[in-house]
């Protein structure tokens, strides 16, 4: 594999299509490279030759005597193939094809031709249809976007070139420092996974933000993401959340597995923070890249306004931030500082009489306390509040808290002085917000990542199943030209996977039917066995809840008679006698091979509710037992499994076992697609 | 009732506790009144006399010879009662008690004493524990908050004084024009309803924003809100959304009726827009106060970036904004303007090649089209985009759209030029946003209000029930010292309300049991009738699914025998024979008298799911049939009622009838509390 360092840290760049015309993208790109201070060799290529921005223009790539790491291609689509050929001949490592007009407008063939040629000749391609690359490590801005990028520690990978181009400006406005920014465009070759593999090891990058529209090699992406989130947070936006359709297959599991639901579940499983809006994504990136992870979950709100305090508590519940609620401990920490009519219950209310000096005292107390892990400070500009001292207070405490590994966030509310303070602090990278929901959303993102790290496990649960038996059973079904299993086949597979089913036996005579029933124990269920009659109920081939020998005899005779009448030519092999299951809660456990993400397991409430309530959870397989248990706990009706109205607690461990067994079948067995 | 015009448009004001000390609130208030340009008479009151800000200070209220409409009281809590007495003596119409230190810190008695005295002597009280009042109509700023308020058309009513005080500054920063701002504090007398009644008729106020912590007279508030939303939008924040507990009563309906859920349902029913964060509330107020309501729901997204377009479509689904999806019509409107590789499907994609002039064309086309009702324009600063022309483009189209009653919103994304444009446009009140979710949230709020107005109905459904019969039944139960109904009592009430129940008859002998069963028709259910045995199942007093005469005879004997064994002293009156109901979907319909909001109806999925899934809806009663049907449609499991898996459609009209009957019982009958 070509090292992605040639992309992010090239030692030489050629710009194929460098233009003399300052209005053209071919000029814009070379201008950005030159003026952004890239320290290595840059070779403009243009058949007209001459000079651009003081650089000698080469008429062709082969005229350059030195090796080229990276080539930026900014020429019309129809000329790109030849340029790629030249790059391969010249031994260029990676070509950025900025040019658009390929698969995104239906020109799929040409894109394939280029990608195939490049692959066969050892050249890697980024694009086509991209805005270029920015890489802070080598002061490289090879894009047609804005020039001024603030270097920093956020890496951005975007599928949309337009979004990438405008994000250059936007991140500068938001004072977000960038380590690298790159768009993947049509992903003819290099995709997010390739880029992530590099970025997760790159020191300068502390957090990665990805904008995704569609995922191709999902299994690989998930693996790479799992590796990445172990080391640094990854924030993802995937647009098309609301897209309907996509899965037309009517199978139970399939019909529910709306792509976005699966994507969402897998991102959470991989510890990825999924943002809905760009604003949230930027806020989270900025906050997570500038602030330490907490040591625990005890968060304290300190406020001079009761109402804002309550709103913040609401926001904490929404975003999963846990409020420290040890009232005596809080009393001890804060009672010296809080006035009598204030509150030492969380939110800590300094009352409207508080000035920055009361805040100073309370924040010092929170800083000193070993049991407080994070602080949200809320300043409302009420009568006596000295807003002019606010910037100093914030800077001072932010630095102290940061040095002790304690996150602190400020939300300030008031007039011009306060607004100026928010802006100036924000420019310096301090976590100061104008709205409490914004602040708590950031802390919630951090705790989501914190909890992932605390609970993550590399353990992988795999069940011991008889792979050959299952494959053989399915092979025979295929030979029979069926894509559904008969009851005994399903049972054989479950047996091979050691999934418990009600005891059952096939009886080929009335005598055997009675014998099996007595052996199994009443009540039993009797079902016709005949591959000629698939809809057994319609044929009168099912009898439930048989409680004694007499009922078994009656049922046997009724079933045989009724089925013979239903289809005189059907070959009747006998009846299946099973233990009648006791009433309980109907659940569904599923597994399938997703086209994008590979093996997927699913769990949920069964019966008619699975369609209507969609109370289901998904995970990529394999997973840990712990994660499988999280699937079980995640559904809304989980309390039903704990036993409501005096019912017994259900066997959650048994569910986890079955999820893992089903997942293992899908992962291990070669059983083809349906 | 004292006219609230004395509060919002006083012709004279006394400030009791006007201070010479510029650091004191008593100075701050009078300074704000004088410098804000209040044109009528202001009388500072202070026993020390002298002069403040050029005004003669009176030593006592009685020294003033002219009538006083409004008195602001800013003296220590212990002196307030006497000041209130003086106000009443002087014939002051309304007293604002800014002073805190009353019920909010446990000093409930003193607050009551003041309120009672005032009420008995014809003085209305606002407060105590408030920040004062701002009223643009008379240039009055009688608060201790910031002085510079931007006059405009948003009225703010807040329960939190601190929040109010800081909101003065915040609204100025956000360029939100204020018609009035007032805090209600401890609501010793005047509450939100009094203020709303005035504000809904006040021309200057186009939209009302309320911050609420707790509601007292909910029934009245709902009535006033219903009147208000008919004329202007009302935005509400209620903090304490996440508060647990509150309702300890274990009854089914009660235990589910988390106060916040009920509040939320009733606000929606009243057409109130409930915001979660202050930022959303401000955004909505600003947008709704500056922009026309649309004529229909066909919204079009026009973009130069595909990715941002998709994100916006996601946001539209989230916020209930309906995208216009008539593809041929859209093609006709936009095909001349869109390049070949763009898209005339909604989102309309002008592609990254678009400049402001392409936007100009597309927006003109959208403006001209009669079928397009609202537009979201998304500008990303990509290569060729001429951001310098953006402010002109926005201003021009904003004005045109506005004059045609078509809402338009802009979301712009890019560097400094774009950011400056957002700021300058926003200052002018144009709906220009930095994030698409912010923009769509505003349009969603507008459509939520639009749909409320379109669907609202003053029709009220009331059922024809036998009030006396029900009251008499309940009266007898009370006499019997019970707070639960026996089966036949419940059935009597349902009959009096014309709610259908399975046919049933009490049999006092075996013979009668058989006769009733034959008359009712098999299968039947048999239940013991004895008020000495409440837990009938435990006593073996219930038999289900009796299919013939023989089974009825067996069951009768078994029940009598078993119950006699269970309690030899129990007086057995006979057995109740009912038609056995066929299996179906278990639903729950409830009604109760809420302490805050009065009669409430509830509907949901029944059985164990009601506890676990909480799939229920609430409304205040009375309501229209249409609104009752909305309750039915609102639950997640509504598709079950439409019939899934080939089941028959359920009788939704019957559910609506029953909801209305139950609500009518609770509303009309004097049956006391449980």
């Amino acid at each position: 594999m070509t090292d992605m360092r040639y992309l992010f840290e090239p030692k030489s760049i050629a710009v194929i299509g460098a233009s003399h015309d300052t209005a053209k993208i071919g000029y814009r790109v070379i201008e950005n490279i030159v003026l952004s201070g890239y320290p290595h060799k840059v070779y403009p290529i243009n058949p007209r030759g001459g000079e651009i921005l003081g650089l000698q223009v080469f008429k062709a790539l082969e005229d350059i005597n030195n090796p080229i790491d990276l080539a930026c291609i900014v020429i019309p689509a129809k000329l790109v193939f030849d340029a790629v050929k030249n790059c391969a001949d010249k031994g260029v490592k990676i070509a950025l094809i900025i040019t658009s007009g390929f698969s995104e407008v239906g020109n799929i063939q040409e894109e394939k031709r280029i990608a195939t040629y490049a692959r066969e000749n050892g050249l890697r391609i980024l694009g086509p249809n991209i805005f270029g690359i920015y890489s802070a490590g080598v002061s490289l801005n090879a894009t047609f976007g804005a020039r001024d990028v603030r270097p920093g520690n956020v890496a951005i990978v975007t599928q949309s070139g337009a979004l990438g181009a405008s994000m250059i400006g936007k991140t500068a406005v938001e004072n977000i420092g960038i380590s690298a920014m790159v768009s993947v465009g049509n992903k003819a070759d290099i995709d997010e996974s390739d880029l992530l593999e590099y970025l997760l090891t790159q020191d300068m990058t502390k957090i990665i933000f990805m904008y995704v529209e569609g995922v191709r090699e999902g299994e690989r992406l998930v693996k790479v993401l799992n590796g990445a989130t172990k080391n640094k947070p990854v924030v993802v936006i995937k647009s098309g959340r609301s897209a309907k359709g996509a899965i037309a297959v009517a199978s139970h599991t399939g019909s529910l597995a709306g792509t976005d639901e699966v994507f969402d579940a897998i991102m959470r499983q991989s510890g990825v923070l999924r943002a809905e809006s760009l604003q949230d994504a930027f806020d989270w990136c900025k906050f997570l890249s500038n602030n330490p992870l907490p040591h625990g979950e005890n968060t304290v709100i300190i406020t001079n306004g009761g109402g804002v305090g309550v709103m913040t508590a609401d926001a904490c519940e929404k975003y999963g931030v846990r409020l420290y609620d040890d009232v005596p401990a809080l009393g001890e920490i804060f009672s010296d500082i809080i006035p009598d009519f204030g509150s030492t219950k969380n939110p800590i209310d300094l009352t409207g009489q508080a000035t920055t000096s009361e805040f100073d005292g309370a924040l010092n107390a929170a800083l000193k306390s070993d049991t407080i892990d994070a602080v949200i400070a809320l300043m409302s500009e009420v009568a006596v509040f000295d807003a002019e001292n606010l910037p100093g207070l914030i800077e001072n405490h932010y630095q102290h808290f940061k040095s002790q590994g304690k996150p602190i966030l400020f939300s300030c509310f008031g007039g011009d002085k306060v607004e100026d303070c928010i802006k100036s602090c924000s420019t310096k990278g301090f976590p100061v917000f104008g709205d409490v929901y914004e602040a708590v959303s950031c802390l919630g993102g951090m705790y989501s990542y914190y909890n992932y790290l605390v609970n993550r496990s590399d353990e992988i649960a795999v069940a011991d199943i008889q792979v050959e038996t299952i494959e053989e059973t399915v092979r025979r079904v295929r030979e029979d030209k069926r894509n559904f299993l008969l009851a005994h086949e399903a049972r054989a597979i479950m047996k091979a996977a050691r999934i418990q089913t009600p005891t059952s036996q096939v009886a080929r005579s009335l005598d055997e039917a009675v014998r099996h029933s007595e052996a199994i124990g009443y009540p039993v269920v009797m079902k016709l066995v005949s591959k000629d009659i698939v809809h057994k109920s319609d044929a009168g081939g099912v009898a439930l809840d048989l409680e004694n020998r007499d009922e078994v005899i009656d049922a046997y005779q009724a079933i045989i008679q009724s089925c013979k009448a239903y289809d005189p030519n059907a070959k009747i092999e006998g009846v299946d006698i099973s233990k009648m299951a006791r009433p309980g809660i109907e659940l569904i456990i599923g597994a399938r091979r997703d086209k994008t993400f590979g093996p997927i397991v699913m769990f949920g409430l069964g019966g008619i509710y699975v369609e209507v309530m969609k109370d289901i959870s998904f995970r990529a397989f394999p997973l840990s037992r712990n994660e499988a248990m999280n699937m079980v706990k995640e559904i809304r009706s989980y309390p039903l499994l704990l036993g409501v109205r005096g019912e017994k607690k259900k066997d959650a461990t048994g569910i986890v076992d079955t999820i893992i067994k089903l997942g293992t079948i899908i992962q291990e067995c070669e059983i083809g697609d349906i």
Side-chain angles (χ1 to χ4, degrees), chain A:
Chain A
M1 289 293 269
T2 302
D3 199 313
M4 285 298 134
R5 270 184 294 183
Y6 292 114
L7 179 63
F8 290 95
E9 309 158 32
K11 291 277 187 294
S12 54
I13 302 179
V15 179
I16 301 174
S19 176
H20 295 271
D21 180 349
T22 57
K24 289 210 164 162
I25 285 182
Y27 178 82
R28 187 75 165 263
V29 171
I30 196 136
E31 186 192 28
N32 274 343
I33 295 175
V34 171
L35 299 184
S36 63
Y38 174 67
H40 305 299
K41 282 301 261 177
V42 182
Y43 304 97
I45 316 281
N46 187 319
R48 282 167 53 201
E51 210 174 76
I52 299 175
L53 291 160
L55 293 174
Q56 184 205 336
V57 177
F58 291 77
K59 294 192 175 178
L61 200 58
E62 62 258 38
D63 298 348
I64 303 167
N65 286 323
N66 298 317
I68 306 287
D69 284 351
L70 187 67
C72 301
I73 300 179
V74 270
I75 51 179
K78 60 180 187 295
L79 306 175
V80 169
F81 181 78
D82 287 336
V84 165
K85 244 170 130 174
N86 293 340
C87 287
D89 292 347
K90 171 72 188 159
V92 169
K93 300 296 189 303
I94 297 179
L96 299 187
I97 307 180
I98 289 177
T99 310
S100 58
F102 294 93
S103 66
E104 85 280 8
V105 294
N107 190 2
I108 297 166
Q109 268 325 103
E110 183 68 2
E111 187 172 309
K112 263 203 186 141
R113 190 164 77 111
I114 290 168
T116 308
Y117 186 87
R119 192 171 41 250
E120 284 168 358
N121 292 277
L123 173 69
R124 302 287 315 253
I125 299 278
L126 183 67
N129 186 27
I130 60 172
F131 78 100
I133 184 169
Y134 166 81
S135 181
V138 290
S139 298
L140 171 65
N141 182 342
T143 77
F144 57 80
R147 184 169 322 121
D148 292 328
V149 188
R150 198 182 137 128
N153 48 24
V154 179
I156 299 183
V157 176
T158 165
Q159 192 168 350
S160 160
L163 194 60
S166 47
M167 260 195 277
I168 295 183
K170 182 69 173 179
T171 51
V173 166
E174 298 265 341
N175 287 299
I176 294 173
I178 303 298
S179 56
M181 194 187 295
V182 46
S183 70
V184 290
N186 300 355
K187 305 190 211 177
D189 172 23
I190 294 172
D191 69 3
E192 288 93 348
S193 299
D194 298 301
L195 303 174
L196 283 173
E197 274 176 350
Y198 169 84
L199 292 169
L200 83 90
T201 63
Q202 194 208 39
D203 283 342
M204 194 175 182
T205 296
K206 298 271 178 263
I207 182 165
I208 300 165
F209 167 42
M210 287 209 299
Y211 169 79
V212 182
E213 288 175 354
V215 175
R216 241 174 255 162
E217 294 183 55
E219 270 188 87
R220 183 174 166 223
L221 179 64
V222 170
K223 263 192 207 110
V224 176
L225 282 173
N226 274 322
T229 53
K230 204 191 282 195
N231 298 303
K232 46 191 87 168
V234 176
V235 173
V236 163
I237 287 191
K238 182 177 175 295
S239 61
R241 301 168 77 95
S242 64
K244 290 142 194 167
I247 288 170
V249 192
S251 102
H252 236 26
T253 319
S255 71
L256 294 164
T259 311
D260 195 71
E261 255 174 316
V262 172
F263 179 84
D264 205 66
I266 293 179
M267 289 303 110
R268 263 182 293 126
Q269 182 181 357
S270 308
V272 170
L273 305 174
R274 185 172 182 194
E276 201 170 354
S277 69
L278 284 167
Q279 193 59 55
D280 269 352
F282 286 148
D283 282 352
W284 296 355
C285 285
K286 202 169 165 183
F287 181 66
L288 280 156
S289 66
N290 285 332
N291 293 281
L293 281 178
H295 300 298
E297 290 198 79
N298 286 337
T299 299
V300 162
I301 299 169
I302 298 174
T303 182
N304 66 337
V308 182
V310 178
M311 271 191 276
T312 308
D314 288 345
C316 284
E317 185 165 303
K318 175 176 178 178
Y319 293 112
V321 173
R322 208 186 288 169
L323 292 185
Y324 186 33
D325 58 2
D326 183 335
V327 176
L330 288 166
E332 219 161 278
I333 298 167
F334 292 108
S335 58
D336 290 350
I337 298 138
I338 311 298
D340 288 346
F341 50 99
S343 169
T344 61
K345 282 182 199 150
N346 201 357
I348 310 296
D349 190 353
L350 303 176
T351 81
Q353 306 305 315
T355 62
T356 48
S357 106
E358 276 75 25
F359 270 104
D360 194 52
L363 292 175
N364 279 330
L367 180 64
K368 263 187 236 142
S369 158
D370 290 337
T371 52
I372 294 176
D373 302 306
V375 171
I376 305 169
L378 310 173
M379 288 87 165
S380 290
E381 192 184 13
V382 287
V384 300
F385 191 75
D386 45 333
E388 58 282 6
N389 297 325
L390 191 54
L393 178 82
I394 289 174
E395 174 146 17
N396 183 22
H397 283 281
Y398 173 65
Q399 303 296 7
H400 285 140
F401 273 72
K402 189 170 179 172
S403 68
Q404 292 208 13
K406 246 184 219 194
I408 184 167
L409 302 89
F410 303 86
S411 179
C412 307
F413 196 78
D416 283 329
K417 271 188 227 156
V418 169
E419 203 64 17
D420 291 345
C421 169
I422 295 173
K423 264 179 218 146
S424 70
C425 287
S426 192
T427 305
K428 292 180 196 158
F430 307 160
V432 182
F433 303 85
D435 189 85
V436 294
Y437 274 78
E438 249 175 86
V440 182
S441 161
C442 287
L443 189 58
M446 179 177 270
Y447 270 119
S448 171
Y449 183 60
Y450 167 86
N451 281 314
Y452 168 75
L453 289 182
V454 167
N455 297 314
R456 76 166 273 146
S457 143
D458 289 324
E459 177 232 316
I460 274 173
V462 179
D464 179 20
I465 63 168
Q466 297 166 321
V467 172
E468 297 74 24
T469 313
I470 295 168
E471 289 178 349
E472 176 59 20
T473 308
V474 175
R475 201 182 53 72
R476 274 196 237 129
V477 173
R478 300 258 180 227
E479 277 172 15
D480 206 21
K481 307 262 183 258
R482 277 184 285 123
N483 58 7
F484 60 91
L485 300 171
L486 293 177
H488 70 275
E489 292 159 350
R491 217 180 273 127
I493 290 178
M494 289 201 270
K495 199 178 159 198
R498 297 178 219 281
I499 296 170
Q500 229 186 313
T501 57
T503 322
S504 91
Q505 288 259 272
V506 174
R508 290 168 206 279
S509 66
L510 172 57
D511 196 47
E512 260 186 37
V514 172
R515 199 144 30 88
H516 290 334
S517 298
E518 309 262 304
I520 286 168
Y522 298 106
V524 296
V525 175
M526 189 184 292
K527 288 183 209 154
L528 179 78
V529 178
S530 165
K531 68 172 151 188
D532 299 321
I533 298 180
V534 175
H535 299 292
K536 291 186 288 286
S537 291
D538 294 356
V542 178
L544 301 176
D545 208 9
L546 308 174
E547 292 190 327
N548 52 47
R549 185 190 159 90
D550 287 354
E551 289 189 13
V552 167
I553 293 170
D554 287 355
Y556 183 86
Q557 287 164 340
I559 284 179
I560 299 297
Q561 199 177 356
S562 164
C563 291
K564 279 191 174 153
Y566 180 81
D567 180 357
N569 299 321
K571 192 178 161 243
I572 292 174
E573 295 175 44
V575 294
D576 183 286
I577 307 285
S578 305
K579 182 82 185 167
M580 172 91 182
R582 278 177 308 177
I585 293 170
E586 202 178 329
L587 300 173
I588 182 169
I589 299 176
R592 65 181 172 88
R593 188 170 283 277
D594 187 88
K595 273 193 185 141
T596 306
F597 291 105
I600 299 270
V601 284
M602 174 262 220
F603 167 72
L605 195 62
I608 45 175
Y609 298 100
V610 73
E611 282 174 30
V612 167
M613 303 297 254
K614 293 193 177 34
D615 190 17
I616 42 177
S617 56
F618 293 99
R619 290 293 186 283
F621 195 85
L623 39 59
S624 66
R625 289 190 65 84
N626 199 26
E627 192 64 32
M629 188 56 93
N630 288 342
M631 282 179 78
V632 176
K633 290 182 179 166
E634 187 177 299
I635 66 167
R636 288 192 303 272
S637 41
Y638 173 63
L640 283 183
L641 303 179
L642 292 175
V644 288
R645 291 204 187 162
E647 275 189 42
K648 253 192 9 190
K649 202 177 156 187
K650 311 300 180 226
D651 179 16
T653 310
I655 299 173
V656 165
D657 288 339
T658 308
I659 291 171
I660 291 163
K661 285 166 184 171
L662 242 59
T664 307
I665 293 175
I666 292 298
Q667 191 184 38
E668 303 281 313
C669 302
E670 292 287 339
I671 50 179
D673 288 331
I674 293 164

